[in-house]
Amino acid sequence: MWNEFKSFAFKGNAFDLAIGVMIGAAFGRIVDGIVNYLIMPVIGALTGGLNFDDYFLPLSSEVTATTLAEAQKQGAVLAYGAFLSVIINFLIIAFVLFHLVKAANQMKKAEPAPPPAGPTKTEELLTEIRDALRSKGQA
């Protein structure tokens, strides 16, 4: 059973997939940081210092807070500002992945086809036999 598990877990496709998922998760955290700490503050500054994370609509009359964290403690809210951050995050990831796939496809096309393999030993011998038979037929 252990050998079966090892052959499955370390088989090329399963192992490569696991590595891809881990790198994807790390990449997602990087994009989160870029969106939350670089892009959204710039957008907030351009809109007069507004923090999109605090944009919400109260769904209950009990919600009186001005920040999302406090409002969520008071009751149900529709946090459309945080959702906007998630959408921007997704668009950045999709844009980067699109260009990575596009570059990978171009690299695959750019690789020249390998030269055809030379004749095998059997083919060489058959060619010699053919040539010998031809030369006997002409003599």
Side-chain angles (χ1 to χ4, degrees):
M1 185 153 140
W2 174 249
N3 287 334
E4 286 178 314
F5 175 73
K6 277 192 340 187
S7 69
F8 168 76
F10 296 107
K11 192 175 183 180
N13 294 341
F15 191 71
D16 291 345
L17 180 61
I19 296 295
V21 167
M22 287 186 276
I23 289 174
F27 182 71
R29 291 185 66 198
I30 289 171
V31 173
D32 282 342
I34 290 171
V35 169
N36 294 331
Y37 304 125
L38 298 176
I39 294 174
M40 294 310 281
V42 170
I43 292 173
L46 293 174
T47 59
L50 299 173
N51 181 0
F52 282 100
D53 287 338
D54 285 332
Y55 281 10
F56 63 92
L57 291 173
L59 299 177
S60 167
S61 60
E62 298 170 5
V63 177
T64 58
T66 58
T67 64
L68 178 61
E70 291 298 317
Q72 287 175 327
K73 291 178 186 175
Q74 294 176 350
V77 295
L78 186 66
Y80 67 90
F83 183 67
L84 179 63
S85 294
V86 171
I87 290 173
I88 292 172
N89 195 341
F90 169 77
L91 291 174
I92 291 171
I93 291 173
F95 183 75
V96 169
L97 290 177
F98 168 75
H99 284 290
L100 287 175
V101 169
K102 188 175 177 181
N105 287 340
Q106 286 178 348
M107 290 169 65
K108 285 180 185 176
K109 289 179 186 176
E111 292 178 8
T120 64
K121 187 69 173 170
T122 303
E123 290 171 339
E124 289 177 8
L125 290 172
L126 287 172
T127 303
E128 289 176 17
I129 292 169
R130 182 198 65 202
D131 293 344
L133 288 172
R134 280 185 184 165
S135 65
K136 282 186 179 182
Q138 290 178 354

